[in-house]
Amino acid sequence: MTERIPCKSADCGATILPRTAEKTGGYCMPCVQYRQRLEREEFIRRHRRDVNLYEGITDPVEILKIMCEPRVSDPLIRYTAYEKTAEELYASLSAPDAERMKAYAAALIAEDEPDIAEDILLSLACFTGIPVQDCLPALIRKECYHPGILYKQAPAAIRDFLLDQVEKDAENRNLLLLALAWIGDETVAARFNQWRETPPVWAEELYVPPHQYSLEAGWMLNGEGLRSDLFYKECRTFEKGIPSGGEPVSLFGETEEFCRGCGGGMTVLFDLDLRHPSLRFLDMEGERLKIATCLSCTCYGFLFTDIDGKGGSGWSRYNPAPAVSPEPEGEGPPEDGERPALRFSGKERGTYYAAVWSQEPAVASQVGGHPTWIQDAEYPDCPGCSGKMSFLAQFSWEDADDYGEGITYAFVCKDCQIAATHFQQT
């Protein structure tokens, strides 16, 4: 049996073959690899340099182009971040600069870089509200129909092409229906209504009826077959910071209600002063609206509460009865020190500013506007009248905590005076 010798590392108890020791200088291979890693890390530490790709550049378009360019990872280079985020730059673009960005996106599509181009166009559509329809023909030639929101303001010629294409392009039919839903004009609504009344043969291939794709774009067909929006066009947002106590919308208020499902305390997720000018677009009667919920149970389905215009919010009889009668646990909303450092700013922003979750806006919490669906669109059916409830507001847990995840949504049926909440996450 060949004699083994101990590794030269003082704190290593391994033994190695003599021929291995000759190659490694007396060290076992794990110790050799460890020493090599330390040497590599020290080499990187000594030779790493900071590179500022934005140095001397003030043109926001050129800065955004640099941000869009893919970078090869190099451990010896540490890139300096720009002082503003891409979101901030897009939101501040002038109309001429936005046109330049669209031209850049068109060039990328021609160069067969549709993914980067789509991200640019998506940022323009959400953060600036500037139409991008002049880039759609180039995307169509590449059979790029996603994300559908890019087609929101598509002209009639593109709409008619998509209506024709959806009948014969089975491979892209799902994306084509989403694009049509985002167009959502009278012609599209009429075709969706036609499909509702007489489902096409290919409808059997879908997971939901074709007319229900409209929900992804925030609308539905009413009884007359016309479009009915499920969200407010006006949108007011929150901002990072400790609430002062005088805002027209506050978060995580107290309530004496407890959850009949789990027995835990309920929380007033949104408390809105309906008399404030920034909230008049809600067009709701009364002085105060409270949306209460159980932060635990709403993760598993819609939770309904009865509301009024006087700040009342109580457990709704329409919630499913619990399997057992829970005893109140006395748990209330978070303590003041645990409440999110987020306050209502009242600032108005575009309807679709936060409509696409993958765009990761700095603040997704809002009142009004189009919801930020993380999964599929889920508008609850009002248990009182069976109609779809309208989206009212949303709270993003990422806005309040670096480790937060998911969004809690609030909905209302004005006629039945019923509110609902729901939660989505990845």
Side-chain angles (χ1 to χ4, degrees), residues 189-201 203 209-212 221-226:
R191 183 65 64 87
F192 275 33
N193 188 50
Q194 177 185 329
W195 289 333
R196 179 174 66 174
E197 296 178 352
T198 307
V201 176
H211 70 275
Q212 290 187 11
L221 293 170
N222 61 21
E224 290 72 42
L226 303 176

PDB file of all heavy atoms in Angstrom, residues 189-201 203 209-212 221-226:
ATOM      1  N   ALA A 189     -64.420  45.259 -29.608  1.00  0.00           N
ATOM      2  CA  ALA A 189     -65.493  44.893 -28.678  1.00  0.00           C
ATOM      3  C   ALA A 189     -66.614  44.154 -29.410  1.00  0.00           C
ATOM      4  O   ALA A 189     -67.172  43.177 -28.884  1.00  0.00           O
ATOM      5  CB  ALA A 189     -66.031  46.145 -27.986  1.00  0.00           C
ATOM      6  N   ALA A 190     -66.929  44.615 -30.612  1.00  0.00           N
ATOM      7  CA  ALA A 190     -67.981  43.961 -31.390  1.00  0.00           C
ATOM      8  C   ALA A 190     -67.588  42.524 -31.748  1.00  0.00           C
ATOM      9  O   ALA A 190     -68.412  41.610 -31.687  1.00  0.00           O
ATOM     10  CB  ALA A 190     -68.267  44.765 -32.657  1.00  0.00           C
ATOM     11  N   ARG A 191     -66.292  42.334 -32.128  1.00  0.00           N
ATOM     12  CA  ARG A 191     -65.842  40.977 -32.464  1.00  0.00           C
ATOM     13  C   ARG A 191     -65.811  40.096 -31.212  1.00  0.00           C
ATOM     14  O   ARG A 191     -66.204  38.924 -31.281  1.00  0.00           O
ATOM     15  CB  ARG A 191     -64.457  41.031 -33.095  1.00  0.00           C
ATOM     16  CG  ARG A 191     -63.933  39.658 -33.550  1.00  0.00           C
ATOM     17  CD  ARG A 191     -64.756  39.056 -34.676  1.00  0.00           C
ATOM     18  NE  ARG A 191     -64.657  39.878 -35.854  1.00  0.00           N
ATOM     19  CZ  ARG A 191     -63.686  39.754 -36.777  1.00  0.00           C
ATOM     20  NH1 ARG A 191     -62.755  38.828 -36.629  1.00  0.00           N
ATOM     21  NH2 ARG A 191     -63.665  40.533 -37.841  1.00  0.00           N
ATOM     22  N   PHE A 192     -65.372  40.640 -30.081  1.00  0.00           N
ATOM     23  CA  PHE A 192     -65.378  39.867 -28.845  1.00  0.00           C
ATOM     24  C   PHE A 192     -66.806  39.462 -28.470  1.00  0.00           C
ATOM     25  O   PHE A 192     -67.041  38.351 -27.995  1.00  0.00           O
ATOM     26  CB  PHE A 192     -64.740  40.685 -27.710  1.00  0.00           C
ATOM     27  CG  PHE A 192     -63.236  40.580 -27.651  1.00  0.00           C
ATOM     28  CD1 PHE A 192     -62.480  40.432 -28.798  1.00  0.00           C
ATOM     29  CD2 PHE A 192     -62.568  40.658 -26.444  1.00  0.00           C
ATOM     30  CE1 PHE A 192     -61.092  40.347 -28.756  1.00  0.00           C
ATOM     31  CE2 PHE A 192     -61.186  40.567 -26.371  1.00  0.00           C
ATOM     32  CZ  PHE A 192     -60.442  40.407 -27.533  1.00  0.00           C
ATOM     33  N   ASN A 193     -67.744  40.374 -28.686  1.00  0.00           N
ATOM     34  CA  ASN A 193     -69.142  40.072 -28.387  1.00  0.00           C
ATOM     35  C   ASN A 193     -69.668  38.990 -29.325  1.00  0.00           C
ATOM     36  O   ASN A 193     -70.441  38.122 -28.918  1.00  0.00           O
ATOM     37  CB  ASN A 193     -69.990  41.331 -28.506  1.00  0.00           C
ATOM     38  CG  ASN A 193     -71.404  41.124 -28.017  1.00  0.00           C
ATOM     39  OD1 ASN A 193     -71.619  40.617 -26.912  1.00  0.00           O
ATOM     40  ND2 ASN A 193     -72.392  41.474 -28.846  1.00  0.00           N
ATOM     41  N   GLN A 194     -69.239  39.041 -30.569  1.00  0.00           N
ATOM     42  CA  GLN A 194     -69.624  38.012 -31.530  1.00  0.00           C
ATOM     43  C   GLN A 194     -69.111  36.649 -31.074  1.00  0.00           C
ATOM     44  O   GLN A 194     -69.840  35.646 -31.142  1.00  0.00           O
ATOM     45  CB  GLN A 194     -69.059  38.359 -32.911  1.00  0.00           C
ATOM     46  CG  GLN A 194     -69.333  37.313 -33.985  1.00  0.00           C
ATOM     47  CD  GLN A 194     -68.645  37.678 -35.302  1.00  0.00           C
ATOM     48  OE1 GLN A 194     -68.456  38.839 -35.634  1.00  0.00           O
ATOM     49  NE2 GLN A 194     -68.241  36.655 -36.036  1.00  0.00           N
ATOM     50  N   TRP A 195     -67.869  36.632 -30.601  1.00  0.00           N
ATOM     51  CA  TRP A 195     -67.287  35.377 -30.101  1.00  0.00           C
ATOM     52  C   TRP A 195     -67.982  34.920 -28.821  1.00  0.00           C
ATOM     53  O   TRP A 195     -68.055  33.728 -28.551  1.00  0.00           O
ATOM     54  CB  TRP A 195     -65.791  35.557 -29.845  1.00  0.00           C
ATOM     55  CG  TRP A 195     -64.967  35.678 -31.096  1.00  0.00           C
ATOM     56  CD1 TRP A 195     -65.266  35.168 -32.319  1.00  0.00           C
ATOM     57  CD2 TRP A 195     -63.718  36.355 -31.227  1.00  0.00           C
ATOM     58  NE1 TRP A 195     -64.272  35.483 -33.223  1.00  0.00           N
ATOM     59  CE2 TRP A 195     -63.295  36.202 -32.574  1.00  0.00           C
ATOM     60  CE3 TRP A 195     -62.906  37.068 -30.353  1.00  0.00           C
ATOM     61  CZ2 TRP A 195     -62.110  36.736 -33.051  1.00  0.00           C
ATOM     62  CZ3 TRP A 195     -61.715  37.592 -30.828  1.00  0.00           C
ATOM     63  CH2 TRP A 195     -61.321  37.425 -32.166  1.00  0.00           C
ATOM     64  N   ARG A 196     -68.472  35.877 -28.024  1.00  0.00           N
ATOM     65  CA  ARG A 196     -69.204  35.502 -26.814  1.00  0.00           C
ATOM     66  C   ARG A 196     -70.500  34.805 -27.174  1.00  0.00           C
ATOM     67  O   ARG A 196     -70.880  33.810 -26.541  1.00  0.00           O
ATOM     68  CB  ARG A 196     -69.478  36.741 -25.957  1.00  0.00           C
ATOM     69  CG  ARG A 196     -70.257  36.436 -24.681  1.00  0.00           C
ATOM     70  CD  ARG A 196     -70.388  37.645 -23.768  1.00  0.00           C
ATOM     71  NE  ARG A 196     -71.209  38.714 -24.341  1.00  0.00           N
ATOM     72  CZ  ARG A 196     -71.564  39.812 -23.672  1.00  0.00           C
ATOM     73  NH1 ARG A 196     -71.163  39.971 -22.407  1.00  0.00           N
ATOM     74  NH2 ARG A 196     -72.314  40.740 -24.243  1.00  0.00           N
ATOM     75  N   GLU A 197     -71.190  35.338 -28.173  1.00  0.00           N
ATOM     76  CA  GLU A 197     -72.479  34.773 -28.564  1.00  0.00           C
ATOM     77  C   GLU A 197     -72.332  33.497 -29.388  1.00  0.00           C
ATOM     78  O   GLU A 197     -73.124  32.558 -29.244  1.00  0.00           O
ATOM     79  CB  GLU A 197     -73.273  35.820 -29.340  1.00  0.00           C
ATOM     80  CG  GLU A 197     -73.636  37.048 -28.508  1.00  0.00           C
ATOM     81  CD  GLU A 197     -74.388  38.091 -29.317  1.00  0.00           C
ATOM     82  OE1 GLU A 197     -74.480  37.910 -30.564  1.00  0.00           O
ATOM     83  OE2 GLU A 197     -74.873  39.070 -28.725  1.00  0.00           O
ATOM     84  N   THR A 198     -71.327  33.484 -30.263  1.00  0.00           N
ATOM     85  CA  THR A 198     -71.077  32.311 -31.100  1.00  0.00           C
ATOM     86  C   THR A 198     -69.592  31.983 -31.040  1.00  0.00           C
ATOM     87  O   THR A 198     -68.796  32.512 -31.833  1.00  0.00           O
ATOM     88  CB  THR A 198     -71.493  32.562 -32.564  1.00  0.00           C
ATOM     89  OG1 THR A 198     -72.849  33.027 -32.607  1.00  0.00           O
ATOM     90  CG2 THR A 198     -71.354  31.290 -33.390  1.00  0.00           C
ATOM     91  N   PRO A 199     -69.160  31.164 -30.116  1.00  0.00           N
ATOM     92  CA  PRO A 199     -67.728  30.864 -29.975  1.00  0.00           C
ATOM     93  C   PRO A 199     -67.154  30.267 -31.252  1.00  0.00           C
ATOM     94  O   PRO A 199     -67.775  29.392 -31.872  1.00  0.00           O
ATOM     95  CB  PRO A 199     -67.696  29.845 -28.829  1.00  0.00           C
ATOM     96  CG  PRO A 199     -68.956  30.101 -28.059  1.00  0.00           C
ATOM     97  CD  PRO A 199     -69.967  30.497 -29.080  1.00  0.00           C
ATOM     98  N   PRO A 200     -65.983  30.732 -31.658  1.00  0.00           N
ATOM     99  CA  PRO A 200     -65.344  30.165 -32.854  1.00  0.00           C
ATOM    100  C   PRO A 200     -64.871  28.741 -32.578  1.00  0.00           C
ATOM    101  O   PRO A 200     -64.736  28.329 -31.417  1.00  0.00           O
ATOM    102  CB  PRO A 200     -64.160  31.112 -33.096  1.00  0.00           C
ATOM    103  CG  PRO A 200     -63.866  31.704 -31.752  1.00  0.00           C
ATOM    104  CD  PRO A 200     -65.190  31.821 -31.058  1.00  0.00           C
ATOM    105  N   VAL A 201     -64.586  28.022 -33.642  1.00  0.00           N
ATOM    106  CA  VAL A 201     -64.149  26.629 -33.493  1.00  0.00           C
ATOM    107  C   VAL A 201     -62.891  26.535 -32.646  1.00  0.00           C
ATOM    108  O   VAL A 201     -62.750  25.644 -31.806  1.00  0.00           O
ATOM    109  CB  VAL A 201     -63.916  26.004 -34.890  1.00  0.00           C
ATOM    110  CG1 VAL A 201     -63.361  24.594 -34.745  1.00  0.00           C
ATOM    111  CG2 VAL A 201     -65.211  25.978 -35.689  1.00  0.00           C
ATOM    112  N   ALA A 203     -61.966  28.236 -30.214  1.00  0.00           N
ATOM    113  CA  ALA A 203     -62.127  28.622 -28.809  1.00  0.00           C
ATOM    114  C   ALA A 203     -61.873  27.446 -27.875  1.00  0.00           C
ATOM    115  O   ALA A 203     -61.461  27.637 -26.723  1.00  0.00           O
ATOM    116  CB  ALA A 203     -63.521  29.182 -28.573  1.00  0.00           C
ATOM    117  N   PRO A 209     -62.755  31.548 -22.524  1.00  0.00           N
ATOM    118  CA  PRO A 209     -63.407  32.016 -23.749  1.00  0.00           C
ATOM    119  C   PRO A 209     -62.691  33.245 -24.306  1.00  0.00           C
ATOM    120  O   PRO A 209     -62.165  34.061 -23.536  1.00  0.00           O
ATOM    121  CB  PRO A 209     -64.825  32.357 -23.290  1.00  0.00           C
ATOM    122  CG  PRO A 209     -65.040  31.526 -22.073  1.00  0.00           C
ATOM    123  CD  PRO A 209     -63.707  31.455 -21.392  1.00  0.00           C
ATOM    124  N   PRO A 210     -62.655  33.422 -25.624  1.00  0.00           N
ATOM    125  CA  PRO A 210     -61.886  34.517 -26.220  1.00  0.00           C
ATOM    126  C   PRO A 210     -62.303  35.899 -25.750  1.00  0.00           C
ATOM    127  O   PRO A 210     -61.458  36.792 -25.589  1.00  0.00           O
ATOM    128  CB  PRO A 210     -62.107  34.341 -27.727  1.00  0.00           C
ATOM    129  CG  PRO A 210     -63.271  33.418 -27.881  1.00  0.00           C
ATOM    130  CD  PRO A 210     -63.265  32.566 -26.663  1.00  0.00           C
ATOM    131  N   HIS A 211     -63.589  36.113 -25.458  1.00  0.00           N
ATOM    132  CA  HIS A 211     -64.016  37.456 -25.046  1.00  0.00           C
ATOM    133  C   HIS A 211     -63.501  37.823 -23.661  1.00  0.00           C
ATOM    134  O   HIS A 211     -63.420  39.000 -23.311  1.00  0.00           O
ATOM    135  CB  HIS A 211     -65.552  37.571 -25.093  1.00  0.00           C
ATOM    136  CG  HIS A 211     -66.262  36.773 -24.046  1.00  0.00           C
ATOM    137  ND1 HIS A 211     -66.572  35.437 -24.207  1.00  0.00           N
ATOM    138  CD2 HIS A 211     -66.717  37.120 -22.812  1.00  0.00           C
ATOM    139  CE1 HIS A 211     -67.198  34.992 -23.131  1.00  0.00           C
ATOM    140  NE2 HIS A 211     -67.300  36.002 -22.261  1.00  0.00           N
ATOM    141  N   GLN A 212     -63.109  36.825 -22.866  1.00  0.00           N
ATOM    142  CA  GLN A 212     -62.619  37.110 -21.519  1.00  0.00           C
ATOM    143  C   GLN A 212     -61.168  37.597 -21.500  1.00  0.00           C
ATOM    144  O   GLN A 212     -60.673  38.015 -20.455  1.00  0.00           O
ATOM    145  CB  GLN A 212     -62.774  35.875 -20.630  1.00  0.00           C
ATOM    146  CG  GLN A 212     -64.218  35.551 -20.295  1.00  0.00           C
ATOM    147  CD  GLN A 212     -64.351  34.434 -19.290  1.00  0.00           C
ATOM    148  OE1 GLN A 212     -63.378  34.002 -18.672  1.00  0.00           O
ATOM    149  NE2 GLN A 212     -65.573  33.942 -19.113  1.00  0.00           N
ATOM    150  N   LEU A 221     -67.245  43.143 -21.462  1.00  0.00           N
ATOM    151  CA  LEU A 221     -68.429  43.427 -22.269  1.00  0.00           C
ATOM    152  C   LEU A 221     -69.633  43.535 -21.351  1.00  0.00           C
ATOM    153  O   LEU A 221     -69.865  42.669 -20.497  1.00  0.00           O
ATOM    154  CB  LEU A 221     -68.659  42.313 -23.288  1.00  0.00           C
ATOM    155  CG  LEU A 221     -67.631  42.166 -24.400  1.00  0.00           C
ATOM    156  CD1 LEU A 221     -67.873  40.874 -25.178  1.00  0.00           C
ATOM    157  CD2 LEU A 221     -67.664  43.362 -25.336  1.00  0.00           C
ATOM    158  N   ASN A 222     -70.414  44.597 -21.514  1.00  0.00           N
ATOM    159  CA  ASN A 222     -71.632  44.715 -20.719  1.00  0.00           C
ATOM    160  C   ASN A 222     -72.767  43.958 -21.406  1.00  0.00           C
ATOM    161  O   ASN A 222     -72.565  43.278 -22.419  1.00  0.00           O
ATOM    162  CB  ASN A 222     -71.994  46.181 -20.482  1.00  0.00           C
ATOM    163  CG  ASN A 222     -72.264  46.940 -21.783  1.00  0.00           C
ATOM    164  OD1 ASN A 222     -72.556  46.341 -22.830  1.00  0.00           O
ATOM    165  ND2 ASN A 222     -72.181  48.247 -21.720  1.00  0.00           N
ATOM    166  N   GLY A 223     -73.956  44.080 -20.867  1.00  0.00           N
ATOM    167  CA  GLY A 223     -75.083  43.338 -21.416  1.00  0.00           C
ATOM    168  C   GLY A 223     -75.429  43.694 -22.841  1.00  0.00           C
ATOM    169  O   GLY A 223     -76.004  42.898 -23.579  1.00  0.00           O
ATOM    170  N   GLU A 224     -75.067  44.924 -23.252  1.00  0.00           N
ATOM    171  CA  GLU A 224     -75.344  45.365 -24.622  1.00  0.00           C
ATOM    172  C   GLU A 224     -74.205  45.047 -25.582  1.00  0.00           C
ATOM    173  O   GLU A 224     -74.248  45.420 -26.755  1.00  0.00           O
ATOM    174  CB  GLU A 224     -75.606  46.867 -24.648  1.00  0.00           C
ATOM    175  CG  GLU A 224     -76.928  47.302 -24.004  1.00  0.00           C
ATOM    176  CD  GLU A 224     -76.904  47.177 -22.505  1.00  0.00           C
ATOM    177  OE1 GLU A 224     -75.864  47.548 -21.895  1.00  0.00           O
ATOM    178  OE2 GLU A 224     -77.896  46.703 -21.923  1.00  0.00           O
ATOM    179  N   GLY A 225     -73.161  44.391 -25.065  1.00  0.00           N
ATOM    180  CA  GLY A 225     -72.036  44.044 -25.928  1.00  0.00           C
ATOM    181  C   GLY A 225     -71.052  45.170 -26.133  1.00  0.00           C
ATOM    182  O   GLY A 225     -70.232  45.112 -27.056  1.00  0.00           O
ATOM    183  N   LEU A 226     -71.095  46.179 -25.274  1.00  0.00           N
ATOM    184  CA  LEU A 226     -70.189  47.316 -25.380  1.00  0.00           C
ATOM    185  C   LEU A 226     -69.107  47.229 -24.314  1.00  0.00           C
ATOM    186  O   LEU A 226     -69.268  46.563 -23.291  1.00  0.00           O
ATOM    187  CB  LEU A 226     -70.964  48.633 -25.229  1.00  0.00           C
ATOM    188  CG  LEU A 226     -72.106  48.858 -26.215  1.00  0.00           C
ATOM    189  CD1 LEU A 226     -72.835  50.156 -25.884  1.00  0.00           C
ATOM    190  CD2 LEU A 226     -71.576  48.883 -27.656  1.00  0.00           C
TER     191      LEU A 226
END
